[in-house]
Amino acid sequence: MDLSVNIGNLRLKNPVMTASGTFGYGEEYLDFLDVSQLGGMVVKAVTSSNRDGNPYPRMAETPSGMLNSVGLQNKGVHHFVQEIYPRIKDLNTAIVVNVSGSTLEEYVEVAEKINELNNIPAIELNISCPNVKHGGMAFGTNPRIAAEVTASVRKVFRKTLIVKLSPNVTSITEIAKAVEGAGADALSLINTLLGMAIDAESQKPVLSTVTGGLSGPAIKPIALRMVWQTSQCVHVPVIGMGGIMNTTDAIEFLLAGASAVEVGTANFINPAVTTQIIKGIESYMQRHKVNTVKELTGALKIK
Amino acid sequence: MDLSVNIGNLRLKNPVMTASGTFGYGEEYLDFLDVSQLGGMVVKAVTSSNRDGNPYPRMAETPSGMLNSVGLQNKGVHHFVQEIYPRIKDLNTAIVVNVSGSTLEEYVEVAEKINELNNIPAIELNISCPNVKHGGMAFGTNPRIAAEVTASVRKVFRKTLIVKLSPNVTSITEIAKAVEGAGADALSLINTLLGMAIDAESQKPVLSTVTGGLSGPAIKPIALRMVWQTSQCVHVPVIGMGGIMNTTDAIEFLLAGASAVEVGTANFINPAVTTQIIKGIESYMQRHKVNTVKELTGALKIK
Amino acid sequence: MSKVETTRIPEKKLIQDFTVIQNIRLNARHFILELQSPDQLPGLFPGQFVQVLVEHSPSTFLRRPFSIHEVNKENRSIRLLIQIKGHGTETLSHIHILDKLNLIYPLGNFFTTGDCKKVLLAGGGCGVAPLLFLAQELNKKGIRPIILTGWKTKADIFEAEKYQQYGELLITTEDGSEGEKGLVTQHSIFRKEKLDFERIYCCGPDPMMKAIGKISKTHGIDCEVSLENTMACGFGVCLCCVTPTIHGNQRVCTEGPVFNTNEL
Amino acid sequence: MSKVETTRIPEKKLIQDFTVIQNIRLNARHFILELQSPDQLPGLFPGQFVQVLVEHSPSTFLRRPFSIHEVNKENRSIRLLIQIKGHGTETLSHIHILDKLNLIYPLGNFFTTGDCKKVLLAGGGCGVAPLLFLAQELNKKGIRPIILTGWKTKADIFEAEKYQQYGELLITTEDGSEGEKGLVTQHSIFRKEKLDFERIYCCGPDPMMKAIGKISKTHGIDCEVSLENTMACGFGVCLCCVTPTIHGNQRVCTEGPVFNTNEL
Ligand SMILES: Cc1cc2nc3c(=O)[nH]c(=O)nc-3n(C[C@H](O)[C@H](O)[C@H](O)COP(=O)(O)OP(=O)(O)OC[C@H]3O[C@@H](n4cnc5c(N)ncnc54)[C@H](O)[C@@H]3O)c2cc1C
Ligand SMILES: Cc1cc2nc3c(=O)[nH]c(=O)nc-3n(C[C@H](O)[C@H](O)[C@H](O)COP(=O)(O)OP(=O)(O)OC[C@H]3O[C@@H](n4cnc5c(N)ncnc54)[C@H](O)[C@@H]3O)c2cc1C
Ligand SMILES: Cc1cc2nc3c(=O)[nH]c(=O)nc-3n(C[C@H](O)[C@H](O)[C@H](O)COP(=O)(O)O)c2cc1C
Ligand SMILES: Cc1cc2nc3c(=O)[nH]c(=O)nc-3n(C[C@H](O)[C@H](O)[C@H](O)COP(=O)(O)O)c2cc1C
Ligand code: FES
Ligand code: FES
């Protein structure tokens, strides 16, 4: 059985990756699973310099989901290159760095530095974070700007360039086509949906930032729809995510048109879920007599 | 204690209404509750002529929500005027007709006919239905077109004109302002989010139409955020909805800026939920020493 | 004889907490719940169903519809025969005696009874659920039906004695381990030159209902089937459960679940 | 004496199904779960917590964190003291003996012990949870602490005898029905000219921890508090649980839950 998939020039041993911001730098999961079994691992967002993120509270539980407003807390790309990269570079899975920023220049600067790291075969350009005041999602909701930042990063980054799309848009396909045209090797979607939670008793917002990003099973129907729409209108591979909790969910994304999937929030509830999904995909393939996982991509039967 | 609210010239005895497509024409609920207790009742979408709607299956259950692709099934405005209106006109609650269509002319035609009905004090212009191929959501995702259809209907409809907004947009505030500018007396939001469900075993979409509209608690965080954003940028009242299951949810929408709420999917699970919410709001007001429910609108404390 | 029942005015629909008084496991995938109402039961008719609120199942958002399997007026109780399909029914299978279960009922129309004497009841697997109640009501009218049920294998069969009480029980199993080998629709009874039933009542998987409908048509026999379209509300407002009929899209929960095959 | 414990290498985190062997109701809003592991327990330290998967509660999506209240190595069991707050804890309160409960543990850092002799443990309401385990560990090191606990009223008090076993128990109640009247922070012990504790350990509502922190500072006493920020993961990856410290935002689940008030 062949579980491998290609994302641009990047070959993954299987289609199951972890989503940025939900898997730390992988190290935190070493007690729970063998990271080398993963198709890939997208590490926490990296920005040009240190960010403290937003004030506590940064989290609200919602029906079948959660809101977060972490806000890209990280110690900056220099720290990543110096301290974290050496520790994780030999984890033996495709390590993808989630590149974030507030300005076009910041994206370019981070991408340039990551380009130098031998064991980082790809970046995921995060133009869809709803939790930063400037930049983030703003880049991902306007096709022209999305294309501009993609093109600029493309110039300096020579390995696989994945661009992560925001679902907070009228037309995901318009953005997708713009980003593809600007040189993206692959698209990943969806980032979180902008939401809000209120404590009716205290009459206050739950999050310090009032709004935050919604993730988890609640958003799966929207994510599936966007992956389906997008994969039909671009030629580059699509990486699907949004509410994947188990094998069935992952298969649904593949059928809808995804070449690989990322698992996010589910890792918090079941830290070993990704390796369970890999095994689950294998037995699904056996049951359905599918030899290569690539056959599942876009195999949805629409009469 | 004063629970009454004003939506344009329309005075509701309390802020709790039922959402279109989830309450039939009210008659179906007579076994479960006293409809005259409701602030208002938005009846099922009415179009210019008979529509069969989409083929079965039209429904998929999703985490904390459901997808539907009913597709505006109704017998047309003539049938509504002749058969249904006489039966429901004396139900003694504010009856709002949800006006839908595929063309600008269709909206105008239906609105004109409803304008003649004495006991219909308001319409809700549905420019946000994701389940019709032509029209529907397309009207609600483009500010210019949304304004145009609002203005055209405004010319022929002399009573309270509520326009129902689609959440499937990059900027809900842009649409809201356009529609307000075109003469809407109030805005209601949100309609369903475009989603999709797949049966991994049969490898088929669950809905005959592939995509459908997502409703229920899953969408509440998004709905709350949009109500909050919208109510801060328009001067007309906002009617909030999306995933309201109980009193607490309803209060959250009021705090976020809604003057009234509509309850949708929850009616399927608990057909008496609306009257329970009305009682619940009363005890909340007692507990929080609030005399008029209007004080709760937009009372969210943001430091 | 006129179709007396169908003109009965439907009873008021109720939302009510029932008490679980029995939870009987029939086999790995089937169980019976007996539920007691705090009040007198309203008039209930075979073919009608209830909408059950499944608490404690995170992946069950909507209510779940089940046919009324048996009614015990004196005890104010009804029975549901349930097949474990997904999380909702799985959760119900673990419910404890004396737990409460919230029901909306009675819902839907019902089988026509009282106008025919010689009738066949045909059910596949869990499709037998409404047929026991139907057989009991027919008995009350002096009619002893033939009851034809189909199963995978002998071990799957349940409640055979019950059905035998109310009619002549015929059985098919797919592996021939009991009764005739094959599907319900392959039973020798259908191979007669001329079927002499006045009506066939049928409930089961879609292909079976289609096949029985066809047989009925060939023989000019009235045929009523009970559909199981997925439902959001169950009481006529969501329009999710429709089936195409000669009168256009009709709601299975309200104009159905029982349809005359002539109308489909 | 050096801070021996804090340099211990943390044990491997486990995901494990425990068996519920006791569910003891203390009063209307509190209960104790005793959970048995299939394997030997790893090293556990007072202040550490577990993340519990709450099944059968539709509105509980994430795991729920609870401090380790007691450890019984021989029996391979731990106890959790839980206050019913919302749906998650409500659902847990109805769990049956022999049901399984999935835990991620051991999580977080722990109280410093072994370097001080004269210590005070201060807890408000359910904040006492980690303090029993702490008192027991202190006892093992030959230290008998003073344990000060605060309650609304006499009827709310639980496990007093337990605490008395391991230290000198002082009580405050808001209505004065037992012990001294008032809040924990108003207890006469704090009105001494010079408090002679070497360390105060504190766990309870935020305002109480702030107040105790202030008192400690005034008297130059080392003070460790256990925070309860809301958590999504509990093992350091989501960054949702942060608290501002002198070292910047730190994760309560990983750098905490125990913090020295000097660092906050
Ligand atoms: C009017 C009516 C009467 C019914 N009477 C009975 C009865 O007496 N006994 C009984 O066991 N069942 C009956 N059913 C079916 C029963 O409602 C479903 O099996 C149940 O809702 C499944 O719930 P679940 O959460 O266990 O499974 P889910 O997780 O909801 O579904 C499991 C699988 O079954 C499929 N499924 C679920 N419901 C249906 C459906 N209605 N039609 C086709 N596929 C479906 C799903 O697509 C999924 O693949 C009836 C249905 C209707 C509409
Ligand atoms: C490290 C740690 C250790 C803990 N130890 C214990 C313990 O030993 N015993 C115990 O009973 N509880 C303990 N708690 C608190 C416990 O986790 C929460 O009370 C529980 O998660 C509530 O779940 P619920 O579903 O019942 O309530 P929910 O429905 O989630 O919440 C009910 C209400 O409580 C509030 N709330 C929930 N969790 C918290 C929190 N962490 N901080 C502030 N407000 C909150 C919510 O905002 C809401 O208003 C601990 C928390 C942490 C972080
Ligand atoms: C706590 C948290 C932090 C996140 N941080 C990032 C981030 O730094 N960069 C990013 O691109 N996406 C981030 N995301 C979004 C996820 O990568 C993912 O797109 C989203 O959560 C949807 O997937 P899920 O439903 O499986 O979680 C974060 C999500 C969560 C819940
Ligand atoms: C089955 C169904 C049918 C609906 N039909 C309509 C409709 O005809 N017109 C309309 O404006 N909205 C329609 N809606 C949308 C609801 O009115 C409401 O906007 C949406 O469901 C969100 O609210 P809720 O989460 O409380 O259901 C429908 C929703 C459902 C679930
Ligand atoms: S299930 Fe809602 S109309 Fe039939
Ligand atoms: S709870 Fe996730 S980092 Fe602390």
Side-chain angles (χ1 to χ4, degrees), chain A residues 63-64 141 168-170 194-196 198 200-203 205 210 217 221 224-225 228 252 256 284 287-288 300-301, chain B residues 62-64 141 168-170 194-196 198 200-203 205 210 217 221 224-225 228 252 256 284 287-288 300-301:
Chain A
S64 298
T141 53
N168 300 293
V169 295
T170 309
L194 195 63
M196 174 175 176
I198 291 174
E201 285 308 308
S202 68
Q203 308 192 328
V210 184
L224 273 177
R225 183 262 297 181
W228 183 65
E252 289 169 18
Y284 179 92
R287 195 148 35 87
H288 286 265
L300 191 69
K301 295 169 196 151
Chain B
T62 66
S64 300
T141 53
N168 301 291
V169 295
T170 308
L194 194 62
M196 174 174 176
I198 291 174
E201 285 307 310
S202 68
Q203 308 193 327
V210 185
L224 273 177
R225 182 262 297 182
W228 182 66
E252 288 169 18
Y284 179 93
R287 195 149 33 87
H288 287 264
L300 191 68
K301 294 169 198 153

Side-chain angles (χ1 to χ4, degrees), chain B residues 18-301:
Chain B
T18 58
S20 179
T22 67
F23 208 71
Y25 301 105
E27 303 168 298
E28 296 86 342
Y29 282 85
L30 297 179
D31 284 354
F32 303 122
L33 51 81
D34 176 1
V35 173
S36 76
Q37 289 184 3
L38 298 176
M41 162 176 111
V42 186
V43 301
K44 178 77 197 142
V46 174
T47 55
S48 66
S49 49
N50 179 73
R51 282 190 188 234
D52 280 341
N54 294 314
Y56 178 83
R58 297 173 167 188
M59 192 275 285
E61 198 181 37
T62 66
S64 300
M66 62 174 277
L67 289 162
N68 88 82
S69 61
V70 170
L72 304 181
Q73 178 178 337
N74 81 104
K75 297 212 166 112
V77 65
H78 182 76
H79 179 262
F80 178 81
V81 172
Q82 296 296 317
E83 302 290 327
I84 297 167
Y85 175 68
R87 292 205 310 256
I88 65 172
K89 70 184 184 36
D90 297 318
L91 281 179
N92 194 21
T93 185
I95 304 174
V96 179
V97 174
N98 185 263
V99 171
S100 298
S102 296
T103 62
L104 194 148
E105 292 71 30
E106 186 174 0
Y107 283 109
V108 172
E109 180 194 336
V110 177
E112 247 176 333
K113 292 202 173 129
I114 303 296
N115 192 50
E116 305 302 310
L117 304 178
N118 275 325
N119 287 9
I120 307 287
I123 59 171
E124 179 178 68
L125 203 62
N126 176 11
I127 55 168
S128 44
C129 180
N131 294 323
V132 285
K133 273 245 166 65
H134 305 287
M137 200 172 91
F139 286 97
T141 53
N142 179 316
R144 194 181 45 75
I145 303 178
E148 201 179 315
V149 60
T150 305
S152 305
V153 168
R154 176 75 293 176
K155 278 194 208 120
V156 302
F157 191 75
R158 315 210 188 287
K159 294 178 273 183
T160 300
L161 172 58
I162 304 164
V163 178
K164 184 165 179 179
L165 304 186
S166 168
N168 301 291
V169 295
T170 308
S171 168
I172 190 85
T173 54
E174 200 187 336
I175 309 269
K177 282 186 274 190
V179 165
E180 180 187 35
D185 296 314
L187 306 176
S188 65
L189 62 153
I190 60 174
N191 208 316
T192 53
L193 279 143
L194 194 62
M196 174 174 176
I198 291 174
D199 181 331
E201 285 307 310
S202 68
Q203 308 193 327
K204 288 182 191 157
V206 179
L207 300 175
S208 69
T209 47
V210 185
T211 61
L214 183 64
S215 63
I219 69 171
K220 194 185 74 170
I222 303 167
L224 273 177
R225 182 262 297 182
M226 290 189 165
V227 165
W228 182 66
Q229 288 180 326
T230 303
S231 65
Q232 290 189 317
C233 81
V234 296
H235 302 282
V236 295
V238 167
I239 303 171
M241 82 193 89
I244 297 177
M245 297 299 283
N246 52 42
T247 302
T248 311
D249 295 335
I251 299 282
E252 288 169 18
F253 276 88
L254 298 178
L255 294 171
S259 297
V261 296
E262 290 180 25
V263 178
T265 307
N267 291 302
F268 302 157
I269 296 161
N270 177 3
V273 67
T274 40
T275 47
Q276 290 163 4
I277 291 175
I278 296 166
K279 288 205 195 79
I281 292 177
E282 278 182 11
S283 32
Y284 179 93
M285 288 169 64
Q286 255 156 11
R287 195 149 33 87
H288 287 264
K289 305 198 185 359
V290 174
N291 287 321
T292 68
V293 78
K294 289 173 198 151
E295 294 169 50
L296 291 176
T297 295
L300 191 68
K301 294 169 198 153

Side-chain angles (χ1 to χ4, degrees), chain A residues 144-161:
Chain A
R144 194 181 47 73
I145 303 178
E148 201 178 314
V149 61
T150 305
S152 305
V153 168
R154 176 74 292 177
K155 279 197 207 116
V156 302
F157 190 75
R158 314 209 189 288
K159 294 178 274 183
T160 301
L161 172 58

Side-chain angles (χ1 to χ4, degrees), chain A residues 61 199, chain D residues 49 60 64-67 81-83 85-90 126 129 227-231 257:
Chain A
E61 198 180 38
D199 181 333
Chain D
F49 67 98
T60 307
R64 293 291 187 263
F66 300 102
S67 305
L81 167 62
I82 302 179
Q83 178 179 16
K85 272 267 205 162
H87 286 284
T89 46
E90 173 74 33
C126 196
L227 303 186
E228 294 199 351
N229 284 10
T230 49
M231 296 181 171

Side-chain angles (χ1 to χ4, degrees), chain A:
Chain A
M1 227 160 17
D2 179 9
L3 263 75
S4 71
V5 297
N6 298 313
I7 304 295
N9 289 325
L10 175 63
R11 189 183 174 81
L12 306 179
K13 56 186 104 172
N14 65 60
V16 181
M17 310 172 73
T18 57
S20 179
T22 66
F23 209 70
Y25 299 105
E27 303 168 297
E28 296 86 344
Y29 281 85
L30 297 179
D31 284 354
F32 303 123
L33 50 83
D34 175 2
V35 173
S36 75
Q37 290 185 3
L38 297 177
M41 163 174 110
V42 186
V43 300
K44 179 76 197 144
V46 174
T47 53
S48 66
S49 48
N50 179 73
R51 281 188 188 236
D52 279 341
N54 295 314
Y56 178 85
R58 298 173 167 190
M59 196 274 287
E61 198 180 38
T62 66
S64 298
M66 62 175 276
L67 290 162
N68 88 81
S69 61
V70 171
L72 304 182
Q73 177 179 336
N74 81 103
K75 298 214 165 110
V77 66
H78 182 75
H79 180 262
F80 178 79
V81 172
Q82 296 297 317
E83 303 289 327
I84 297 167
Y85 175 68
R87 293 203 311 255
I88 65 172
K89 71 184 182 34
D90 297 319
L91 281 178
N92 194 21
T93 186
I95 304 174
V96 180
V97 173
N98 185 263
V99 171
S100 298
S102 294
T103 62
L104 193 147
E105 292 71 30
E106 186 175 359
Y107 283 109
V108 172
E109 180 193 337
V110 176
E112 246 175 333
K113 293 204 171 125
I114 302 295
N115 191 51
E116 306 302 311
L117 305 178
N118 275 326
N119 287 8
I120 306 287
I123 58 172
E124 180 179 67
L125 202 64
N126 177 10
I127 56 168
S128 44
C129 180
N131 293 324
V132 283
K133 274 246 166 66
H134 304 287
M137 198 171 94
F139 285 96
T141 53
N142 180 316
R144 194 181 47 73
I145 303 178
E148 201 178 314
V149 61
T150 305
S152 305
V153 168
R154 176 74 292 177
K155 279 197 207 116
V156 302
F157 190 75
R158 314 209 189 288
K159 294 178 274 183
T160 301
L161 172 58
I162 305 163
V163 178
K164 184 164 180 181
L165 306 184
S166 168
N168 300 293
V169 295
T170 309
S171 169
I172 189 85
T173 55
E174 200 187 336
I175 309 268
K177 282 186 274 190
V179 166
E180 180 187 34
D185 297 314
L187 306 175
S188 65
L189 60 155
I190 60 176
N191 209 317
T192 53
L193 280 144
L194 195 63
M196 174 175 176
I198 291 174
D199 181 333
E201 285 308 308
S202 68
Q203 308 192 328
K204 288 182 190 158
V206 179
L207 300 175
S208 69
T209 48
V210 184
T211 62
L214 182 64
S215 63
I219 68 170
K220 192 185 75 170
I222 302 166
L224 273 177
R225 183 262 297 181
M226 289 189 166
V227 165
W228 183 65
Q229 288 179 326
T230 302
S231 65
Q232 290 189 317
C233 83
V234 296
H235 302 282
V236 295
V238 167
I239 302 172
M241 82 193 88
I244 297 178
M245 297 299 283
N246 53 41
T247 302
T248 311
D249 295 335
I251 299 282
E252 289 169 18
F253 276 88
L254 298 178
L255 294 171
S259 298
V261 296
E262 289 179 25
V263 178
T265 307
N267 293 302
F268 303 156
I269 295 161
N270 176 3
V273 68
T274 42
T275 48
Q276 291 163 4
I277 291 176
I278 296 167
K279 289 205 194 80
I281 292 178
E282 279 182 11
S283 34
Y284 179 92
M285 287 169 65
Q286 256 157 10
R287 195 148 35 87
H288 286 265
K289 304 199 188 356
V290 174
N291 287 319
T292 67
V293 77
K294 289 172 197 152
E295 294 169 50
L296 291 176
T297 295
L300 191 69
K301 295 169 196 151
I302 298 184
K303 39 160 198 281

Side-chain angles (χ1 to χ4, degrees), chain C residues 7-24:
Chain C
T7 59
R8 275 197 199 143
I9 293 163
E11 298 260 350
K12 193 169 143 70
K13 298 181 189 81
L14 305 167
I15 313 175
Q16 210 161 57
D17 275 334
F18 278 64
T19 305
V20 179
I21 56 173
Q22 288 215 61
N23 179 354
I24 309 164

